[in-house]
Amino acid sequence: MQTGDTHGGGAFALLTEYERRSLAHVVGLPEQLDAPGLWRGVGYRIGRRMLASAFDEVIEILPMPPVSAVPGAQPWMLGVANIRGSLLPIVDLKQFLEGERTVINENQRVLLVRQPGGDVAVTIDELFGQRSFLEEDEVSADRVAEGRYAHFVDRAYAHANATWGVFSLGRLGRTPEFRHAAA
């Protein structure tokens, strides 16, 4: 007798068939999911810059959690927050990149990002959700890759009357200055 086989194979076989059919047909996904020349990611705004990061760089998007300050940290390190039992650093990404503090509000969101040594949450000014860009809409990254952004944005797309920079959260997480938040 196999595990879960309580009715002569009927229930287990039925569940196996449901799983097979579910995996074969995903409702609601666009046909161009893996289309050549299509880039998809999470769109957001920091300051006046429209940015997007690859889906595989964003673990989760959360409302701004309560933050406890960390004495002796860089000004852009807001502190730590308890997120589902784990203490995670919360970074003001705008202040790290531009030197200007983010005005925190009730609609504030943070992107949970994996980095070597542990996850980190970075603030964003506004969330736009999923964004898709076509290869033919690629433009010079110079429009959004000024100052410190130049280290993290190496391509951009013109879309919906805006220029969207593709921001590498992975590169950010490997940057020595970002990883050492002690003042």
Side-chain angles (χ1 to χ4, degrees), residues 79-112:
V80 294
N82 182 340
I83 299 177
R84 285 185 287 293
S86 295
L87 287 180
L88 297 180
I90 308 295
V91 171
D92 183 339
L93 191 52
K94 181 178 179 183
Q95 189 167 16
F96 177 79
L97 294 166
E98 299 179 12
E100 182 181 324
R101 191 136 188 71
T102 297
V103 177
I104 305 295
N105 62 64
E106 65 275 356
N107 295 322
Q108 193 76 42
R109 296 285 182 262
V110 295
L111 303 179
L112 197 57

Side-chain angles (χ1 to χ4, degrees), residues 10-25:
F12 184 74
L14 183 60
L15 288 174
T16 302
E17 176 61 14
Y18 284 156
E19 178 183 33
R20 185 195 65 73
R21 289 172 43 196
S22 175
L23 292 173
H25 179 71

Side-chain angles (χ1 to χ4, degrees), residues 163-180:
T163 300
W164 294 78
V166 176
F167 189 91
S168 174
L169 292 167
R171 195 174 306 145
L172 175 72
R174 293 187 303 273
T175 301
E177 181 184 358
F178 185 79
R179 296 182 46 75
H180 297 91

Side-chain angles (χ1 to χ4, degrees), residues 28-74:
L29 287 181
E31 293 295 321
Q32 292 186 325
L33 186 63
D34 294 320
L38 182 69
W39 186 90
R40 297 180 45 210
V42 176
Y44 53 94
R45 181 180 58 79
I46 297 176
R48 60 180 176 77
R49 287 180 174 83
M50 308 299 271
L51 302 169
S53 294
F55 286 131
D56 63 355
E57 292 185 323
V58 178
I59 299 170
E60 193 172 353
I61 301 166
L62 302 168
M64 182 72 170
V67 178
S68 298
V70 176
Q74 293 287 346

